[in-house]
Amino acid sequence: MSRTRTVDNAVDKVVSADGTAIAFEKQGTGPAVVLVGGAFMTRGAFAELAALLAGHFTVITYDRRGRGDSGDAPEYEVRREIEDIDALIEGPGGGSAMLFGMSSGAVLALEATARGSAVARLALYEPPFVTDDSRPPLPAGYVAHLTELIGREAYGDAAAYFMTAAVGLPGEAVAGMRQAPFWADMETVAHTLPYDGRIMGDTMSGRPLPVARWASVTVPVLVGSGDAGAPHMLTGARELAATGDNFTLRVFPGQEHDIAARVLAPALADFFRGEQAR
């Protein structure tokens, strides 16, 4: 494990199984919790949530491969991202950890747990499943088209395609977003959008979830969703929570996909401590 420094924070790195360096930060004391981000997210996106949890846990935030201070590999495979999580669990996590995954990061955390990562408890917020007809499914060839755009370095177009095809925003809204200051940051990590597409697989097809895919998950799982966002998010969360008796649904009143950290943190803390929801 090596250490580098940014202007404000110490950034540690673990080396994943394929030799890729994965950057992370760690704060707090207690049982380890690894926070897994979704599309566009780097470790800084969890700053407020991590600070709120650090009074109870050792909180590990990290840059998924290809983002921020982390490295990448020439060819992408989902199992490599699971190996990244394993390296974080084995290193700063001390051999076992609890996971929280947000959006497509929730599906990555679920996959890691299903494939045998040393996860003691798993919390997910709004894995973006599309299992009904409340919105269009992902277009056929979605990942291939993203990959083609990125191959010709059309990062802005790739980000815009994600926002319309995957998120479901109207084109005119995305056109306005492209003029905003934050758009440049989105373009910086847009080359990793096919990674999230590969993680989601066919779970945004409008068909029922392939629940047998996660039958090996036997640890306690909290599945969270807001009730004020896109209807398909809550539908997908309900369907996933019905997978088994170890899955519990938690609906957050008034919350959308971008849930407030001050609302989420107490629920995560209770769940990770094995306590009933307040």
Side-chain angles (χ1 to χ4, degrees), residues 122-182:
L122 174 65
L124 314 171
Y125 186 76
E126 292 204 341
F129 300 135
V130 179
T131 63
D132 60 16
D133 60 0
S134 63
R135 56 146 285 175
L138 278 187
Y142 166 77
V143 172
H145 185 55
L146 271 179
T147 302
E148 186 270 328
L149 290 171
I150 290 159
R152 52 186 173 90
E153 300 185 358
Y155 301 120
D157 291 343
Y161 181 61
F162 170 84
M163 297 304 293
T164 54
V167 178
L169 292 180
E172 56 270 23
V174 176
M177 292 172 64
R178 295 187 76 154
Q179 309 308 312
F182 62 76

Side-chain angles (χ1 to χ4, degrees), residues 204-269:
M204 298 181 71
S205 65
R207 298 189 295 271
L209 289 178
V211 291
R213 174 168 147 189
W214 306 303
S216 59
V217 176
T218 58
V219 301
V221 182
L222 179 69
V223 184
S225 180
D227 66 0
H232 74 277
M233 293 287 189
L234 182 53
T235 299
R238 290 188 191 280
E239 193 168 323
L240 179 62
T243 297
D245 292 341
N246 56 313
F247 286 71
T248 301
L249 178 69
R250 174 74 181 267
V251 179
F252 293 86
Q255 296 298 309
E256 301 182 12
H257 197 55
D258 188 18
I259 186 173
R262 60 178 172 75
V263 173
L264 179 60
L268 291 181

Side-chain angles (χ1 to χ4, degrees), residues 13-23 65-66 70-74 80 84 87:
K13 291 185 178 180
V14 293
V15 178
S16 194
D18 71 341
T20 300
I22 302 299
R65 59 174 52 213
S70 288
D72 206 352
R80 296 301 188 196
D84 300 344

Side-chain angles (χ1 to χ4, degrees), residues 30-93:
V33 175
V34 179
L35 307 184
V36 185
F40 295 115
M41 294 178 70
T42 57
R43 66 183 189 276
F46 281 130
E48 184 180 1
L49 180 62
L52 291 169
L53 292 174
H56 308 283
F57 308 99
T58 298
V59 185
I60 299 162
T61 57
Y62 76 104
D63 291 328
R64 283 175 50 190
R65 59 174 52 213
R67 307 179 190 181
D69 293 312
S70 288
D72 206 352
E75 300 293 331
Y76 179 80
E77 296 180 45
V78 174
R79 69 182 178 92
R80 296 301 188 196
E81 288 223 63
I82 293 172
E83 290 168 353
D84 300 344
I85 292 173
D86 290 340
L88 292 163
I89 292 173
E90 181 62 27

